[in-house]
Amino acid sequence: MALGRVLVIGLDPVRIPGWDPEPVVAAIARGQARFGDHGIEADMCLVVPDENAEGTIVEALTGRDYACVVVGGGIRKHEPLLEFFEKVVNLVRQHAPRAAIAFNSSPEDTAEAALRWLR
């Protein structure tokens, strides 16, 4: 049984200044590998809120038909990004209205977050 395609929207750890992105990059890679373990096709949309993030997200949402969109914790959990998080959720509702919206608890459980809605 083929499961629908997933889009993961998150912060680009490499482009956020002032910290070591390598642990997050490695966790994202492990999380992406989990999609393959489950036979799920998944695309990543990594953004920086101040660099045309909305346009990048709309382009990703309209580029393919997604069964589920996972919004990452970096966008959701950092209180100064609350307004951006709201925009992301509403962009998903507007540009991928049939897609389920899921939330992960870490980059490594992103596939499992999507699976809650794909089954």
Side-chain angles (χ1 to χ4, degrees), residues 45-65:
C45 177
L46 298 178
V47 298
V48 176
D50 297 337
E51 297 179 9
N52 189 31
E54 291 177 48
T56 301
I57 292 168
V58 169
E59 185 177 327
L61 288 168
T62 58
R64 294 184 183 261
D65 185 29

Side-chain angles (χ1 to χ4, degrees), residues 78-100:
H78 188 56
E79 189 173 340
L81 294 180
L82 178 62
E83 184 178 337
F84 180 65
F85 170 55
E86 290 174 344
K87 287 179 185 178
V88 170
V89 170
N90 283 294
L91 288 172
V92 174
R93 290 181 58 234
Q94 180 180 0
H95 297 285
R98 293 187 336 233

